[in-house]
Amino acid sequence: MMVGETSGEVVQPADSGPSLSQLQSDKSSRRLEQIAGLRARGIGDHVDLPQLVVCGDQSAGKSSVLEGITGLPFPRQDGVCTKFATEIILQHSEGPRSIVAIILPSSSRAEASKSKLEAYKKVLGNFNELPIAIAEVGTLMGIRGFPDVESGPAFAEDVLRIEVSGQTGLYLTVVDLPGLIGVANEEQTDDDVHTVQRLVESYVKSARTIVLAVVQATNDIANQRIIQISRRFDKAGERTVGIITKPDLINVGTEKRIALLAKNEDTTKLRLGFFLVKNPTPSEMELGGIKPEQRQRDETKYFDSPPWKEQALNMDRVGIISLRTYLQSLLDKHIERELPKVRGEIRDLMREKEREMMALGEERPTIGHLRMYLSRLAMQSHNLTKAALDGNYYDADASFFGRSQNETNPARLRALVHRLNTEFSNYMRNNGQKRKVVNARRHRDSETFEDISGEEDLAKGQVVVDEAEMKAWVKEVYNNSRGRELPGNYNHVLLSELFHVQSSRWQQIAQDHLNDVYDRLEYFLKTSLRHITTDERVLAELQEFTEVPLRRSKQYAEKELESLCEDEKHQPITYNHYYTDNVQNARLDSTRKQIEKAMDEVNTEEWHGKMHISNNSVDAPRLLASLQKRVIVDMDAQACTEALANLSAYYKVAMKTFVDNVCKQVIERHLLRRLAWIFCPEQVAAFKDEDLQRIAAEAPENVEIRRHLRELHKKLDSSLQDLRR
C-alpha cells in the first residue's frame, strides 16, 4: 500500500471478480476458507498462518503488483513510499462488501500507546476512503510527515490491517511492506533503515510466508536486498518468487540481461524462478486505472513486440495473469505442506492455554463458590499439616513430602522437630552449664572455649574451668553463704545459689530452640500454602491470616517457657531417686579416692613400695593406724565437696526434666498441637462474606485473563475442528 494525499483519488475497479477467481482452485478455495476462518477468530495473532508478502526496495512497484494479484486498487503517489506494514485480509461471503481498518500495535510500544492504537477502528464505504484512513493511522502512529506530526520516526513497526469481506472471490491474506532502504539520507535515518529491515525480516522469516520479492528492472539484481534477506530465511528456496517490474524503463540494449534474469539463467537464480510484469503507466492510472483483462492484453502485446520478442521469453512467466495462475498452484502446495504444522501448533497452543487456565486456579464467581474453594484449601492444609506432624509422609501427598538429598526435608515436620529437639537436648547436656569443667591439661593448653568444644556459638556466656577452679568457686560461694551451721555443714541456700548460677544459661538456650522451631513452622506453613494454591493473591491473604494464630502460639509458648524458668529459680526440689543415687555414688567415689591416696602414701613411705599384709594381729592394726594418720579431714573442704557432689547430682536431674518439659510443654503443647488447626474447614465455615471476598475472590485481572483464555481456547478448538474437515 502506498501513502498518498488525503485528497488523492482512488480508482474502484469495474469488476474484479474474474481476476480474483483465477487465484483459487476448488481445492485451495476450501483450504483458504479454513485459513480465513482461523484468521477471523484471531488465531493468526498466535500461530503463523499461510500468507503472501509483497516486499522489495522502495519504489520497486510493489503496490502495482499487489493490485494486479488481488484486483483491489491501492492509493499511490510518485515519490511517496509505504510507511508501515499493511495486511489485506480478503474473506469471501455472500453479503454486502465491508471494509474495516484497524491497527495492530508493535509489541515494543508502551501500554498507553498500545491502547490508543488498539482503539482505532474505521469502517470504509469504499476504497476511495482508504487515503483518509491511511492519514489517520499515520498520525496515530506518530510517523513524521503525516498531518499534525512534524517530528518522529519515518516508519513504524505497527501494522494496518484492512479486512475486506463480501463477494471478493477468494479467501486470502496479502501483506504490503515498506520498501527496503539502501542508504540513509536526510529524510530517512539509520534508525529508519534498521526499522524497515527488522519489519521485513519479521515477516520473511516465517515458514508460512510466501515471499513475492519485487525487484525493479532498472536496478542491478546484485543490489536488491530482498533477494539476500529471502535467501537467509528461505534457504531451501521453497517460498520465494521473484517478480521483475518496470521493464519499460530500462535503457535500450539491456533487455537481454533482464531476459536472462526472467528466464532464471542469470548469475542470480531462485529455485522458484522469476516473473516479468509491466506496471500500468502513470497516464493509464490518471485516466481511471486499467482493468485486469486490458492489463493482460497490454502486457502480451508489449512482450510480443521488439526488442522483447527476440529474447525468447517463456510466456508462462510473463504478465500478471501468469503470475496469478502460478501462485494458485504454489499456494495449493504451500498450504497442504504447512497445514499439518498449523494443526500441530494449534494443539500445542491449546494445551498451553489449558495449563495457564489451570494455573489460575478454580473459578469462583459467587460467595458459595468462594466458601467451597476456601474449604477445600483448608482441608488440604489441615491434612498436610496433620500428616507432617504424624509422620505419614506418603499417605497425604507424596510429592509434597519428597525426599531431600542433603538434609531433612522441611516438609517432614515430625522428623525435623525430632532432630531439633535432639540437638537441643545434646547441647543442654554438653554445654548448658554456666561453668564447664575440663581436665587441667586441656584447660591449660586451650586459649578459647572454641578450641575445646569445636563449636563457635557454644562460648556465649559460658566459663571453662578445671576441677581446682571449680572447687575454688564453690568454696567462695560457700564462704559467702555461711549461716549458723556448724563446721562441716553448709547452708541450705548454698545449693540453690550454685544451681541458679549453673542453670542461668538455660532460658536463653531454650528460647533459641523455641525460635528455631518457630521459624521452621513458619516456613512449613508458607510452603504448604504455596503447595495447595498458585493464586498469588490468595496465597498472600492466607499467609497473612495464618501469621496471627502462629504468633499467638509462640506467645503462649514463651509464656510457658518463662514459667518453667521461673520454677528453676526457686529452692531446688526433686523426688527423683537418681538424685540420691548420684549423691551416694559421689560420696563413695570421694571416700574411695581418699583411701587410695592414703594407701599409696603408706606403701611408699612405710612399706617402701613392697606392702605385704598378713592376716594377723600385727599387720592389720599397723595399716589402720597408718591410714588414720594420713586421712585428715578439713571440715570446710568436706562441706564444699558435699555441696559440689549435690550440685552435680541435682543439675543432671533438673536438666533432664527441664529439657523434657521444654520439648513437651513448650514445643509440643503450644506450637505443634495447635498447628493443624491454624487453617482448617471449621474456620472457613465461620468466615463472613466480606472475609471470603477479601481472602479468596479472584483478582479482576485474573477474571479477565480467564475469560480471554477460555475464549481463545474455544476458538482454537473450533479452528482445529475446521482443519480436520
Side-chain angles (χ1 to χ4, degrees):
M1 181 180 58
M2 308 296 286
V3 177
E5 298 293 337
T6 57
S7 60
E9 190 172 327
V10 181
V11 178
Q12 184 71 25
D15 181 11
S16 59
S19 65
L20 291 173
S21 63
Q22 294 181 48
L23 194 57
Q24 60 179 324
S25 65
D26 292 339
K27 182 179 180 180
S28 65
S29 178
R30 178 168 55 87
R31 291 303 192 194
L32 290 169
E33 182 180 359
Q34 291 173 336
I35 294 170
L38 266 60
R39 204 176 297 277
R41 298 184 186 102
I43 306 303
D45 297 332
H46 307 277
V47 176
D48 289 338
L49 299 176
Q51 60 187 358
L52 295 174
V53 171
V54 180
C55 45
D57 288 350
Q58 287 184 345
S59 303
K62 300 186 302 299
S63 294
S64 177
V65 171
L66 187 61
E67 181 176 307
I69 292 172
T70 63
L72 301 177
F74 293 93
R76 67 193 74 190
Q77 182 181 358
D78 289 341
V80 183
C81 61
T82 306
K83 298 292 186 178
F84 43 81
T86 306
E87 292 184 1
I88 303 96
I89 301 177
L90 307 174
Q91 302 181 63
H92 180 75
S93 66
E94 297 302 325
R97 170 171 287 184
S98 169
I99 308 172
V100 179
I102 61 173
I103 301 175
L104 305 179
S106 167
S107 59
S108 61
R109 281 193 180 269
E111 288 300 321
S113 179
K114 278 186 181 179
S115 300
K116 185 178 180 181
L117 295 180
E118 287 172 344
Y120 179 82
K121 181 178 181 179
K122 187 177 184 66
V123 179
L124 308 180
N126 53 56
F127 279 95
N128 290 323
E129 299 177 13
L130 191 54
I132 300 174
I134 291 171
E136 293 174 348
V137 168
T139 300
L140 283 174
M141 292 180 181
I143 299 175
R144 185 175 67 249
F146 280 92
D148 301 324
V149 183
E150 296 181 358
S151 62
F155 298 88
E157 295 185 65
D158 311 297
V159 179
L160 170 63
R161 175 175 287 177
I162 302 173
E163 300 173 347
V164 183
S165 61
Q167 297 184 20
T168 61
L170 79 164
Y171 305 89
L172 188 64
T173 295
V174 187
V175 184
D176 184 25
L177 297 177
L180 291 161
I181 307 170
V183 181
N185 52 48
E186 293 181 357
E187 296 183 356
Q188 298 169 337
T189 65
D190 287 330
D191 287 341
D192 297 329
V193 173
H194 296 315
T195 296
V196 174
Q197 177 146 342
R198 280 198 309 272
L199 183 61
V200 171
E201 289 179 353
S202 69
Y203 279 89
V204 173
K205 69 181 180 181
S206 171
R208 311 277 154 72
T209 297
I210 292 180
V211 181
L212 304 185
V214 179
V215 295
Q216 190 171 338
T218 55
N219 293 339
D220 188 347
I221 188 64
N223 298 327
Q224 305 287 313
R225 299 180 63 195
I226 185 56
I227 301 297
Q228 301 169 6
I229 293 174
S230 65
R231 281 180 169 174
R232 177 149 52 95
F233 293 105
D234 179 26
K235 298 184 183 298
E238 296 177 341
R239 52 187 183 85
T240 302
V241 180
I243 303 174
I244 307 169
T245 61
K246 302 184 180 180
D248 51 324
L249 300 182
I250 63 174
N251 295 326
V252 176
T254 60
E255 292 84 3
K256 182 177 180 180
R257 176 179 61 82
I258 299 302
L260 287 174
L261 181 63
K263 290 185 288 185
N264 212 24
E265 295 175 357
D266 196 19
T267 54
T268 300
K269 297 180 177 65
L270 294 177
R271 180 175 178 179
L272 300 183
F274 290 86
F275 281 81
L276 185 60
V277 299
K278 178 182 176 298
N279 300 60
T281 64
S283 61
E284 289 174 331
M285 300 308 300
E286 290 176 1
L287 294 175
I290 181 172
K291 295 181 180 180
E293 295 82 357
Q294 183 61 44
R295 177 173 179 172
Q296 175 65 15
R297 287 194 293 270
D298 290 348
E299 284 182 314
T300 301
K301 180 179 178 181
Y302 176 76
F303 289 112
D304 275 343
S305 303
W308 293 105
K309 185 176 182 179
E310 291 80 10
Q311 305 304 324
L313 294 171
N314 180 359
M315 298 309 291
D316 290 337
R317 289 269 172 170
V318 172
I320 199 68
I321 298 298
S322 298
L323 175 60
R324 284 201 297 263
T325 303
Y326 176 80
L327 288 179
Q328 169 188 313
S329 174
L330 181 61
L331 272 173
D332 287 345
K333 296 176 183 177
H334 182 67
I335 291 172
E336 290 301 322
R337 182 176 64 247
E338 294 298 324
L339 273 188
K341 302 176 186 176
V342 172
R343 284 194 290 267
E345 290 184 16
I346 290 177
R347 281 192 293 268
D348 292 342
L349 187 58
M350 284 180 65
R351 286 191 286 267
E352 178 185 336
K353 299 308 168 186
E354 288 167 0
R355 288 192 294 269
E356 290 180 15
M357 284 191 285
M358 288 181 62
L360 290 175
E362 184 179 338
E363 187 176 13
R364 40 199 189 274
T366 67
I367 292 295
H369 286 92
L370 292 176
R371 196 176 298 278
M372 290 177 60
Y373 169 72
L374 267 188
S375 295
R376 278 193 285 270
L377 292 185
M379 181 57 72
Q380 286 179 276
S381 175
H382 177 76
N383 290 340
L384 280 178
T385 306
K386 195 170 186 308
L389 292 173
D390 293 342
N392 297 327
Y393 305 129
Y394 291 99
D395 292 344
D397 192 330
S399 63
F400 180 68
F401 295 111
R403 292 189 177 183
S404 180
Q405 296 295 327
N406 300 322
E407 58 181 16
T408 305
N409 187 332
R412 299 186 172 198
L413 208 51
R414 179 54 64 185
L416 179 63
V417 172
H418 275 318
R419 179 170 65 81
L420 295 177
N421 282 341
T422 301
E423 291 173 355
F424 166 64
S425 175
N426 293 337
Y427 186 87
M428 283 289 293
R429 183 175 63 255
N430 297 322
N431 302 287
Q433 61 272 43
K434 176 69 176 179
R435 281 175 167 76
K436 182 174 182 178
V437 180
V438 299
N439 63 60
R441 180 176 180 180
R442 290 180 64 196
H443 178 56
R444 184 175 59 254
D445 295 343
S446 302
E447 297 180 357
T448 64
F449 178 79
E450 291 79 7
D451 294 332
I452 300 172
S453 68
E455 300 182 43
E456 296 181 1
D457 65 332
L458 301 186
K460 294 183 292 186
Q462 192 174 56
V463 179
V464 179
V465 297
D466 59 22
E467 188 174 351
E469 290 171 333
M470 186 66 173
K471 289 180 178 180
W473 170 67
V474 171
K475 187 171 184 179
E476 179 183 352
V477 178
Y478 166 78
N479 290 331
N480 290 332
S481 64
R482 289 291 296 270
R484 294 183 176 183
E485 67 277 357
L486 297 175
N489 297 302
Y490 60 84
N491 195 329
H492 69 280
V493 301
L494 175 60
L495 181 59
S496 295
E497 290 189 10
L498 293 175
F499 174 71
H500 293 159
V501 172
Q502 278 296 76
S503 62
S504 60
R505 300 183 66 236
W506 288 7
Q507 184 167 1
Q508 185 58 54
I509 295 171
Q511 183 65 51
D512 291 343
H513 176 52
L514 190 157
N515 292 340
D516 194 8
V517 174
Y518 175 82
D519 291 342
R520 305 303 180 96
L521 298 185
E522 189 177 42
Y523 180 78
F524 171 84
L525 276 182
K526 291 180 179 179
T527 304
S528 63
L529 290 175
R530 184 170 291 279
H531 181 74
I532 63 177
T533 179
T534 56
D535 190 316
E536 292 296 332
R537 184 172 176 272
V538 174
L539 178 63
E541 290 288 344
L542 288 179
Q543 287 180 344
E544 183 178 353
F545 170 77
T546 54
E547 282 176 1
V548 176
L550 187 60
R551 282 198 301 267
R552 190 182 303 119
S553 294
K554 184 182 181 184
Q555 291 171 356
Y556 292 148
E558 289 175 335
K559 188 175 180 180
E560 185 77 33
L561 177 60
E562 183 68 30
S563 298
L564 292 177
C565 294
E566 184 64 28
D567 290 342
E568 300 298 338
K569 294 176 182 178
H570 295 285
Q571 183 69 25
I573 298 175
T574 182
Y575 300 97
N576 193 318
H577 70 89
Y578 284 110
Y579 168 71
T580 56
D581 291 346
N582 289 336
V583 170
Q584 184 64 31
N585 291 334
R587 289 173 178 173
L588 293 175
D589 185 60
S590 176
T591 301
R592 185 178 64 253
K593 287 181 178 179
Q594 288 183 4
I595 293 174
E596 288 176 351
K597 181 180 178 183
M599 287 288 292
D600 288 341
E601 291 178 359
V602 169
N603 182 44
T604 302
E605 296 174 4
E606 298 188 17
W607 267 268
H608 306 292
K610 298 179 180 180
M611 179 180 288
H612 178 75
I613 300 175
S614 300
N615 187 16
N616 54 53
S617 59
V618 177
D619 290 349
R622 179 186 173 191
L623 175 62
L624 182 60
S626 299
L627 291 175
Q628 286 177 338
K629 288 190 299 182
R630 288 170 174 79
V631 177
I632 301 174
V633 178
D634 184 330
M635 300 306 292
D636 288 342
Q638 179 68 25
C640 290
T641 300
E642 283 285 326
L644 184 57
N646 290 343
L647 170 64
S648 177
Y650 183 76
Y651 181 89
K652 290 179 181 178
V653 171
M655 183 269 295
K656 292 177 181 179
T657 302
F658 180 77
V659 168
D660 286 346
N661 288 342
V662 168
C663 293
K664 290 191 293 185
Q665 297 173 215
V666 177
I667 303 301
E668 195 71 29
R669 177 189 296 171
H670 293 292
L671 292 184
L672 300 184
R673 200 171 297 166
R674 300 169 182 262
L675 192 64
W677 304 99
I678 284 180
F679 180 46
C680 61
E682 286 82 353
Q683 291 176 314
V684 175
F687 280 166
K688 298 178 181 179
D689 290 353
E690 51 267 30
D691 294 329
L692 294 172
Q693 287 280 5
R694 175 177 53 83
I695 296 175
E698 287 188 277
E701 57 269 23
N702 280 7
V703 175
E704 183 61 25
I705 291 172
R706 187 190 303 280
R707 184 191 64 79
H708 173 73
L709 288 174
R710 184 176 286 120
E711 290 178 357
L712 178 57
H713 187 274
K714 183 178 180 180
K715 292 176 180 178
L716 290 169
D717 186 52
S718 299
S719 300
L720 197 58
Q721 296 299 327
D722 285 350
L723 292 177
R724 288 170 179 164
R725 289 187 293 145

